[in-house]
């Protein structure tokens, strides 16, 4: 019987909040999924120059990956968070544009007409991304037009054991463990620029501890009153594994408790032959 890292992570209770670390800038190239390979820079059909520039542009707060919608289109470049796209003349032109993007120059092209939901379905990287990612991708594609949102399947974006890994752009919101049944509610929340708490992994602009505290404050406020503004105001370390965090909800302070706990988790399915390594994670909750 095949074992999946996502199932193991859920079974051991590893929390989602605190896992939203994300590159500051993203560049995706539309390329047929059937040609994707691991690593993505070795994808079939890419010229040596294009592969070289994609690899060189990755790192230092940048991520370069591939996307597909199954419509046969290729080579379009999409940049986030500036949410622009351009169709290069050919692969040589694409390589030039990626090199310029790496150096901080705007991609150029046109603004994207709608917000974009990226869903990892990269089976070449991890089995969970196919097992859980592809059904959610199909559900998102079917329902998203009613919410004026676009959906793309993408190569590995991290967090295989939180599959399906989903990012809302240009918002830079990270989600995990969505199910097809949850898609309508998720899209409704995204469409009104709200947070879908059951799959929320945190604010990527915060540290892991702060992400956990911010998510705990959101859970506490859910159903009580709408959040107009939320801010992590102060972190007090009581010891190495315990903290209290003051979070301000609409300028009103709320105290969040946090404790570092150990979870035996596998980072991906390929590592599941041995014993699961221990991972220290922050778990946060609001004071009564």
């Amino acid at each position: 019987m095949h074992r999946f890292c996502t199932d193991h992570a859920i079974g051991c209770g590893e929390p989602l909040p605190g896992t939203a670390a994300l590159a500051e800038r993203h560049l995706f190239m539309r390329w047929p999924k059937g040609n994707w390979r691991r690593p993505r820079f070795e994808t079939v059909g890419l010229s040596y120059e294009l592969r070289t520039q994609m690899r060189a542009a990755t790192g230092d707060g940048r991520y370069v990956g591939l996307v597909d919608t199954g419509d046969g289109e290729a080579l379009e470049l999409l940049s986030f968070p500036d949410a622009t796209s351009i169709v290069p003349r050919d692969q040589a032109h694409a390589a030039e544009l990626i090199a310029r993007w790496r150096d901080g120059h705007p991609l150029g092209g046109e603004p994207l007409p709608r917000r974009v939901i990226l869903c990892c379905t990269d089976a070449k990287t991890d089995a969970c991304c196919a097992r859980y990612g592809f059904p959610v991708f199909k559900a998102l594609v079917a329902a998203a037009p009613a919410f004026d949102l676009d959906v793309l399947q993408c190569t590995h974006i991290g967090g295989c054991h939180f599959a399906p890994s989903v990012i809302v752009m240009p918002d830079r919101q990270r989600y995990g463990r969505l199910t097809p049944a949850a898609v309508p509610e998720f899209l409704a929340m995204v469409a009104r620029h709200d947070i879908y708490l059951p799959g929320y992994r945190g604010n990527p602009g915060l540290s892991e501890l702060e992400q956990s505290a911010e998510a705990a404050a959101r859970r506490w406020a859910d159903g009580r009153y709408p959040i107009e503004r939320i801010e992590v105001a102060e972190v007090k370390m009581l010891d190495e594994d315990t903290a209290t965090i003051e979070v301000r909800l609409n300028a009103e302070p709320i105290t969040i408790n946090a404790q570092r706990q150990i979870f035996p988790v596998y980072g991906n399915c390929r590592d599941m032959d041995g014993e699961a390594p221990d991972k220290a994670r922050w778990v946060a909750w609001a004071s009564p």
Side-chain angles (χ1 to χ4, degrees):
M1 180 178 177
H2 191 87
R3 301 166 66 206
F4 294 91
C5 60
T6 293
D7 296 339
H8 180 88
I10 293 172
C12 76
E14 185 188 15
L16 281 174
T19 66
L22 195 64
E24 295 178 4
R25 300 170 62 216
H26 285 73
L27 182 66
F28 292 94
M29 185 174 72
R30 194 187 297 264
W31 198 256
K33 183 184 176 182
N35 291 342
W36 294 359
R37 294 295 183 269
R38 176 177 175 266
R40 60 190 179 276
F41 310 113
E42 301 304 321
T43 283
V44 173
L46 301 181
S47 68
Y48 173 79
E49 181 182 14
L50 184 50
R51 294 199 311 268
T52 299
Q53 292 301 338
M54 289 174 63
R55 192 185 297 272
T58 298
D60 294 328
R62 303 180 303 267
Y63 174 92
V64 179
L66 304 171
V67 293
D68 188 23
T69 55
D71 57 10
E73 294 293 327
L75 264 187
E76 179 186 11
L77 296 175
L78 301 95
S79 175
F80 299 102
D82 50 320
T84 58
S85 74
I86 189 170
V87 177
R89 297 185 299 272
D90 50 30
Q91 291 199 34
H93 186 210
E96 293 175 10
L97 290 170
I98 292 173
R100 286 181 51 78
W101 179 88
R102 177 198 64 204
D103 293 337
H105 300 288
L107 184 64
E110 300 294 330
L112 290 169
R114 287 169 292 278
R115 293 156 73 210
V116 177
I117 298 172
L118 297 156
C119 180
C120 177
T121 62
D122 192 354
K124 296 291 192 301
T125 298
D126 193 88
C128 281
C129 298
R131 177 180 174 86
Y132 297 107
F134 194 64
V136 166
F137 168 69
K138 291 194 295 184
L140 288 168
V141 168
F147 296 93
D148 198 32
L149 297 164
D150 285 336
V151 179
L152 294 168
Q153 58 184 327
C154 66
T155 49
H156 176 63
I157 49 177
C160 297
H161 63 298
F162 299 122
S165 291
V166 173
I167 302 177
V168 179
M169 288 292 192
D171 312 56
R172 300 179 71 245
Q173 292 176 358
R174 294 206 75 168
Y175 293 94
R177 296 177 186 160
L178 296 180
T179 65
V183 161
E185 182 182 359
F186 168 72
L187 289 175
M189 299 291 281
V190 171
R192 61 175 182 257
H193 295 268
D194 210 339
I195 299 291
Y196 177 70
L197 286 175
Y200 184 51
R201 293 177 59 179
N203 179 345
L206 303 175
S207 69
E208 179 189 345
L209 173 57
E210 292 169 336
Q211 288 177 32
S212 300
E214 189 245 15
R218 287 185 179 278
R219 292 194 301 271
W220 180 87
D222 189 39
R224 286 184 169 91
Y225 49 80
I227 298 176
E228 297 176 2
R229 182 181 177 187
I230 184 166
E231 176 188 7
V232 176
E234 184 179 11
V235 175
K236 293 182 179 179
M237 299 299 301
L238 305 182
D239 57 45
E240 183 179 357
D241 298 314
T242 311
T244 61
I245 305 95
E246 180 182 305
V247 178
R248 292 177 182 168
L249 296 171
N250 305 339
E252 293 296 325
I254 176 174
T255 299
I256 302 295
N257 302 303
Q259 185 176 49
R260 204 193 307 264
Q261 300 182 15
I262 301 297
F263 298 89
V265 296
Y266 297 99
N268 55 63
C269 292
R270 298 186 304 278
D271 297 337
M272 295 190 71
D273 290 340
E275 184 177 352
D278 288 339
K279 174 71 173 178
R281 295 288 319 285
W282 285 104
V283 177
W285 65 95
S287 295

